[in-house]
Amino acid sequence: MAFSVPSLVVLVMIFSSPIGSFSCDLPQSLDMGKQETLTVLGQMGKVSLLSCLKDRTDFRFPQEMVEASRVQKAQALSVVHEMLQQIFNLFHTEASSAVWNMTLLEQLLSGLHRQLEDLETCLLQEMGGEQSLLGMEDPTLAVRRYFQRIHLYLQEKKNSHCAWEVVRVEIRRWLLFIHKLTKLIN
């Protein structure tokens, strides 16, 4: 997955804003939750990715969610929240339950749920008076479209083990990228 320089700037701003810059205090559990999510996703892999090379695809993560110079705190929180919600929804399906180890899947879903709860309070505070997103397309819509492509891919591949492995690696890579950026900035 290749990111353009403007996209990296946007992603750094969105996902690695120092915790103190938000009007609410994001709990430290959110940062620990990201690490836990990465760990559990890593443990979930049970199919050799080499055997699934033919199933790889580019899900086209939204490169131009927002202009880097116009990112607002509420937008950043909203995008992070939407990403976590979509990941939760993706793995909280009957098809997912049929593929993954239930103990690990429950750990993943529990961790994502805690992170979502932690973010919701801050998101509500930040969104407080902001009605508009500067006339731009809501960046969370781009995230939803990205996850819609993932859902369609899984349907096309009939929720095969290889398809789920490709998705797991995609999500883990994305979360790892976010985690590394936040470690560098903080």
Side-chain angles (χ1 to χ4, degrees):
M1 165 188 332
F3 291 101
S4 65
V5 173
S7 298
L8 289 174
V9 171
V10 170
L11 294 171
V12 168
M13 291 178 69
I14 288 175
F15 295 111
S16 61
S17 298
I19 289 178
S21 70
F22 295 110
S23 65
C24 66
D25 291 327
L26 287 174
Q28 196 173 22
S29 62
L30 189 61
D31 191 41
M32 291 185 303
K34 285 189 285 187
Q35 182 60 46
E36 178 186 329
T37 301
L38 281 169
T39 301
V40 172
L41 274 171
Q43 293 171 346
M44 288 172 70
K46 62 181 185 179
V47 176
S48 167
L49 195 53
L50 290 175
S51 66
C52 299
L53 289 178
K54 67 184 181 327
D55 292 304
R56 288 186 316 165
T57 190
D58 179 7
F59 295 108
R60 298 182 320 274
F61 186 81
Q63 299 289 328
E64 302 84 23
M65 286 192 294
V66 290
E67 289 181 23
S69 62
R70 297 174 66 179
V71 173
Q72 297 175 359
K73 293 175 198 172
Q75 288 174 318
L77 283 173
S78 180
V79 169
V80 170
H81 185 272
E82 187 64 31
M83 281 290 287
L84 292 175
Q85 185 64 59
Q86 292 294 329
I87 294 169
F88 180 88
N89 294 346
L90 182 67
F91 283 94
H92 193 260
T93 61
E94 200 172 309
S96 176
S97 298
V99 173
W100 303 115
N101 171 295
M102 285 306 294
T103 302
L104 291 174
L105 184 59
E106 287 171 7
Q107 284 179 344
L108 176 69
L109 293 173
S110 176
L112 288 168
H113 187 262
R114 279 192 310 274
Q115 290 175 70
L116 285 165
E117 285 180 337
D118 290 345
L119 267 177
E120 284 172 8
T121 303
C122 290
L123 182 59
L124 290 173
Q125 287 177 13
E126 285 295 329
M127 294 295 282
E130 295 181 29
Q131 297 297 322
S132 155
L133 292 173
L134 297 175
M136 295 183 295
E137 178 182 87
D138 182 353
T140 60
L141 184 58
V143 172
R144 286 186 206 119
R145 288 180 183 147
Y146 167 73
F147 277 92
Q148 183 61 35
R149 288 190 292 274
I150 291 174
H151 283 283
L152 290 173
Y153 165 80
L154 287 168
Q155 286 175 354
E156 288 171 7
K157 296 289 186 175
K158 297 180 181 10
N159 287 292
S160 72
H161 288 280
C162 274
W164 273 104
E165 182 62 17
V166 168
V167 168
R168 182 194 68 84
V169 169
E170 173 82 1
I171 299 301
R172 189 168 189 275
R173 182 179 11 195
W174 179 241
L175 288 172
L176 186 60
F177 176 73
I178 294 167
H179 183 74
K180 283 182 179 180
L181 286 176
T182 56
K183 290 293 182 194
L184 290 173
I185 302 298
N186 290 334

